[in-house]
Amino acid sequence: MLLPKALREECLPEEDFVFSEIVDVVVDSRISSKINCVIEYFKRRLSEFLDFNLELSRAYEVLEKEPRPNASQICLILNEDLKESYKLRISGQRCLIEAKTYPDLVSALMSLLFIVFDEGLVISAREIEDRPRFPIRGYYYDTARGRIPKTEHVFELIEEMALLKLNHLQLYVESGFSFDGESEIWRADSPLKPEEIIAIDDYADAFGIEVVASVSSFGHLYNLLQSYTYQDDCELEVDPQRPFSYYDRMAHHTLDVASERIFQHICKRIDQYAPLLRSKSFNVCADETFDLGQGRSRARCESQGKDRVYIDFILRLEEHLKKRGLKMQFWGDVIAGFPEFAKELSSDTLCLSWDYSAEPREQAIEQLASTGMDQLLCPGVCGWNLKVNANQLAYQNNYRMCYYAEKHNALGLLNTNWGDYAHINDPVLSKVAMAYGAIFAWQGTAQTASQETIDRHLSRIFFGDPSEKLASLYSRILKSDLFPWREMVTYKEFSDHIQGDELLEAQTQVLNKFQYDSDDFKAAELELEKTRVEVMAASSHLGSKDQRRVRSSLLYAIRLTSICNQILAGLLTVNSNVEKTCVEIEYFAQAYERFWLQYDKRSELTQLLSILFYFVNQFRADKKIEA
């Protein structure tokens, strides 16, 4: 089964294609040499089956170059006259790939690789013609809040995106980039550097993927506006000495629209970041400006209207981008409240309309479509604030948003992976939900396979699981999670900002949500242990490093879920041995740190672990542990 499903796939009454130990890759001389990077990836993945020797050659008339007697041949041809995006003909000694454009060529080569994963080294003769349902098929990754990936692992993400025929990547930054003049902002982080962004863009371009800048430019400016230097440019009064707060970072820190200084600083950010990428699009974000009109802009919003103040600031950003030859993208949650203002924006400005629910609202999408504004609809991988992704929700959300994209002529889908509340969820666990978005964006909603079918296939193809059940185990972990991560963070952060009886009351309100007894905790622990064994059994054949990372991530998620359940049991005085829990947390933290640093920079890891250590300290300070 080819994922995404091809538009046309026909079996041929010809000889099967059998991979020889030598594979000649014959490349049309008009194809850019960057294809070598893709072929190297192709070779590396083929080597998982056999130690292949791929020999690369170039030919002007590819079809005249006959296969060598003891070699199989893959021919890559650019053909602008094709009706579809690419054509793939597999039979005998030759696999012939024709494509309209370079990105189409990459998609065709990835289809061949997917077939190899599915069938092995003997492929039944067939002909495939295919084209995508939407021109933009994207993935959005939050590198600003919790995790900043190492460059080599962004390369791996790019390879996975290409395999799924995604062609658009956005890496979101707030303070996670080393902007000049902002050392005060990123000094405690592990920011991405210009040379890393350039390398990522180069690698993505080789795989036919556009990397688009995504930089906070209105709301969500916590680190910037919480600083001593820029505290006076925040809509609300801030205290730079206030302890770090995941909640505050999500809920506040909109800039003061009247401050020319902060506007010029945002423009400076744009001017620094945009030249690092080939793309002429730039996402200024401008979402969730919750505080607008609540502080320094109150008088202006009361006299002009909050909607007018918002759109005027967006127009200023758009004008700055235009002067630099850039097209603006922005999140659509705010303008959805006054869609008539969309007509004031340029025709090439793109609105990113998001909704992460199982039944996303259609009205705002429909109203913005009626204004003539282009939209990119944004579902989610539904993993933020969770130890593992809620895949069922992600499937439903991606399906419904794709349906709306088809109905209202959107340009495509941008599947989002946020890092709210520390990005506790390892990004590799989002591969399944990322695939949902890719499948829908390529083939649309017609004749889409069920979630169960896709999960089984992905378990085998992505994870090397012959039992085809690994992806289905996510939901088992979620059902056993009695103390959700967000509630844990909320409980802890109350202690940073309030004291005495007020603190006790606030934390009691959190605990009152959980009406569990000792039997509930025992049942959850038994289910987690059963799931752990099934993960081990399903992943016993994993070969590649990436597949082993998936297994480790699931096992860490299970262990963390168990620890959080024990913490809740201790808070509810149901856990009779909190000393054991404290020790387990401390050992877990050491192991989790080592695992994290294999793939990601340190970034906010210390801050994340402090959440767990808070409970250890509380248990010991409350003398619930006997000496």
Side-chain angles (χ1 to χ4, degrees):
M1 177 173 141
L2 180 60
L3 291 176
K5 186 178 179 181
L7 190 67
R8 185 182 76 84
E9 184 170 1
E10 179 183 348
C11 295
L12 298 176
E14 300 177 16
E15 291 184 7
D16 292 342
F17 178 85
V18 181
F19 278 93
S20 304
E21 291 191 8
I22 296 176
V23 181
D24 289 332
V25 182
V26 184
V27 179
D28 185 335
S29 60
R30 295 168 295 174
I31 297 172
S32 167
S33 60
K34 63 188 178 183
I35 194 65
N36 296 355
C37 186
V38 182
I39 292 171
E40 182 60 33
Y41 167 71
F42 189 87
K43 175 182 177 180
R44 179 158 35 92
R45 297 307 302 268
L46 279 182
S47 69
E48 296 171 11
F49 296 85
L50 187 65
D51 187 15
F52 274 98
N53 179 19
L54 265 71
E55 297 188 6
L56 182 66
S57 62
R58 289 186 173 273
Y60 182 71
E61 295 293 343
V62 172
L63 292 177
E64 294 180 1
K65 190 174 180 64
E66 291 295 324
R68 289 189 288 169
N70 296 316
S72 48
Q73 187 185 81
I74 299 173
C75 299
L76 308 179
I77 301 174
L78 282 179
N79 181 356
E80 297 177 356
D81 297 326
L82 276 182
K83 180 181 177 182
E84 309 298 349
S85 293
Y86 72 83
K87 184 176 180 180
L88 180 59
R89 184 179 178 86
I90 305 170
S91 66
Q93 282 182 266
R94 172 179 279 174
C95 174
L96 177 62
I97 294 175
E98 294 182 86
K100 266 189 176 182
T101 66
Y102 179 86
D104 293 330
L105 190 71
V106 175
S107 293
L109 197 56
M110 293 303 158
S111 287
L112 176 59
L113 188 56
F114 217 105
I115 292 169
V116 173
F117 292 159
D118 194 30
E119 297 187 20
L121 299 176
V122 179
I123 300 175
S124 58
R126 71 190 70 185
E127 186 172 85
I128 294 172
E129 290 183 334
D130 208 0
R131 67 171 182 270
R133 175 62 180 83
F134 295 105
I136 300 177
R137 306 174 303 281
Y139 188 64
Y140 188 93
Y141 182 62
D142 183 350
T143 66
R145 295 176 293 190
R147 289 181 190 259
I148 296 179
K150 295 180 179 179
T151 305
E152 61 267 30
H153 298 296
V154 181
F155 290 174
E156 292 171 1
L157 171 63
I158 288 166
E159 293 164 357
E160 291 163 0
M161 289 177 61
L163 182 62
L164 291 164
K165 302 186 179 70
L166 293 167
N167 66 353
H168 182 108
L169 170 64
Q170 294 195 24
L171 297 177
Y172 173 56
V173 300
E174 287 176 17
S175 61
F177 178 76
S178 55
F179 288 106
D180 287 344
E182 290 195 18
S183 57
E184 178 189 4
I185 316 305
W186 48 255
R187 66 191 181 195
D189 212 324
S190 312
L192 291 164
K193 295 179 172 58
E195 59 268 27
E196 292 177 291
I197 298 298
I198 292 170
I200 289 167
D201 189 52
D202 286 344
Y203 200 70
D205 181 63
F207 283 83
I209 295 172
E210 178 186 18
V211 182
V212 174
S214 181
V215 180
S216 295
S217 306
F218 199 166
H220 286 304
L221 289 165
Y222 178 87
N223 292 69
L224 181 69
L225 299 178
Q226 193 70 19
S227 69
Y228 284 96
T229 300
Y230 292 99
Q231 61 179 306
D232 294 333
D233 296 305
C234 188
E235 171 70 11
L236 299 179
E237 297 289 338
V238 298
D239 177 6
Q241 294 184 330
R242 179 179 169 87
F244 175 86
S245 169
Y246 287 111
Y247 173 79
D248 282 353
R249 181 162 69 181
M250 294 301 302
H252 297 297
H253 298 84
T254 297
L255 57 73
D256 175 14
V257 292
S259 170
E260 186 62 24
R261 182 178 80 143
I262 197 64
F263 177 76
Q264 292 303 324
H265 185 78
I266 294 299
C267 291
K268 182 181 176 183
R269 277 185 162 194
I270 292 170
D271 296 345
Q272 281 187 45
Y273 201 85
L276 305 178
L277 302 170
R278 291 171 172 81
S279 177
K280 294 303 179 183
S281 295
F282 196 104
N283 181 5
V284 298
C285 296
D287 57 318
E288 297 187 330
T289 52
F290 300 124
D291 298 332
L292 184 62
Q294 303 300 310
R296 290 185 167 100
S297 71
R298 183 189 301 273
R300 177 180 293 197
C301 289
E302 288 176 350
S303 64
Q304 299 178 20
K306 188 187 296 187
D307 47 4
R308 183 74 260 167
V309 172
Y310 176 85
I311 201 66
D312 282 348
F313 191 83
I314 295 297
L315 288 167
R316 290 192 73 190
L317 291 173
E318 183 185 65
E319 183 62 27
H320 180 78
L321 291 169
K322 277 184 184 179
K323 290 177 180 177
R324 280 142 186 83
L326 300 170
K327 295 180 289 186
M328 186 174 77
Q329 297 181 8
F330 72 109
W331 296 108
D333 55 295
V334 180
I335 203 169
F338 36 90
E340 65 277 6
F341 282 89
K343 296 179 180 179
E344 299 185 28
L345 296 165
S346 296
S347 59
D348 59 3
T349 287
L350 184 59
C351 181
L352 310 181
S353 297
W354 59 271
D355 190 326
Y356 307 130
S357 59
E359 293 294 334
R361 296 154 295 182
E362 182 180 8
Q363 183 178 10
I365 296 168
E366 184 176 28
Q367 289 177 336
L368 283 169
S370 70
T371 70
M373 168 165 273
D374 284 333
Q375 292 181 83
L376 195 58
L377 299 197
C378 306
V381 299
C382 303
W384 48 94
N385 299 325
L386 301 173
K387 285 100 175 179
V388 294
N389 298 67
N391 283 344
Q392 183 175 2
L393 173 59
Y395 180 89
Q396 294 170 337
N397 178 243
N398 275 267
Y399 175 88
R400 182 56 59 179
M401 290 295 271
C402 182
Y403 172 77
Y404 292 154
E406 292 172 323
K407 183 176 179 180
H408 299 293
N409 299 313
L411 296 182
L413 298 181
L414 180 64
N415 199 3
T416 55
N417 186 356
W418 294 103
D420 302 12
Y421 291 82
H423 222 313
I424 189 71
N425 182 312
D426 188 336
V428 76
L429 295 178
S430 298
K431 287 175 64 172
V432 174
M434 179 175 75
Y436 297 155
I439 291 166
F440 289 127
W442 181 271
Q443 69 185 50
T445 57
Q447 299 181 333
T448 300
S450 67
Q451 182 193 352
E452 181 183 1
T453 299
I454 293 174
D455 283 356
R456 288 202 311 268
H457 205 66
L458 291 175
S459 293
R460 182 162 54 86
I461 298 299
F462 268 176
F463 303 151
D465 168 23
S467 71
E468 299 186 344
K469 64 189 299 184
L470 207 54
S472 68
L473 297 178
Y474 284 48
S475 61
R476 297 261 298 275
I477 301 171
L478 283 175
K479 288 178 181 177
S480 301
D481 187 5
L482 305 184
F483 200 13
W485 182 251
R486 183 170 181 172
E487 300 297 336
M488 283 184 58
V489 174
T490 300
Y491 185 97
K492 184 265 181 187
E493 288 197 347
F494 280 138
S495 68
D496 293 329
H497 307 299
I498 54 179
Q499 299 296 324
D501 291 341
E502 187 181 358
L503 172 62
L504 179 61
E505 180 180 353
Q507 292 184 330
T508 300
Q509 288 180 357
V510 173
L511 296 181
N512 285 342
K513 298 177 182 179
F514 307 107
Q515 302 298 318
Y516 299 125
D517 58 27
S518 59
D519 289 340
D520 296 318
F521 288 107
K522 288 177 183 177
E525 191 63 26
L526 286 173
E527 182 66 17
L528 286 171
E529 176 57 22
K530 184 178 177 182
T531 304
R532 186 188 70 83
V533 171
E534 291 194 38
V535 168
M536 293 295 287
S539 61
S540 59
H541 300 284
L542 301 190
S544 71
K545 181 180 178 182
D546 184 61
Q547 290 173 341
R548 292 194 297 272
R549 180 184 176 184
V550 171
R551 174 175 58 198
S552 296
S553 296
L554 284 170
L555 293 176
Y556 275 111
I558 290 169
R559 190 173 170 191
L560 179 61
T561 301
S562 174
I563 285 172
C564 293
N565 288 352
Q566 292 175 50
I567 289 172
L568 178 60
L571 296 173
L572 296 176
T573 66
V574 176
N575 184 350
S576 61
N577 193 348
V578 288
E579 166 62 15
K580 179 182 176 183
T581 299
C582 291
V583 172
E584 185 174 351
I585 289 171
E586 287 158 345
Y587 276 99
F588 171 83
Q590 292 287 309
Y592 189 76
E593 178 179 28
R594 290 192 296 270
F595 181 66
W596 175 295
L597 292 176
Q598 287 184 58
Y599 306 101
D600 299 294
K601 301 183 180 187
R602 177 166 290 276
S603 189
E604 296 179 8
L605 175 61
T606 301
Q607 185 70 41
L608 184 157
L609 293 177
S610 72
I611 304 292
L612 296 175
F613 293 148
Y614 164 79
F615 292 98
V616 172
N617 295 339
Q618 180 175 335
F619 286 144
R620 288 181 171 142
D622 289 348
K623 302 186 185 301
K624 292 183 179 179
I625 300 174
E626 295 182 4

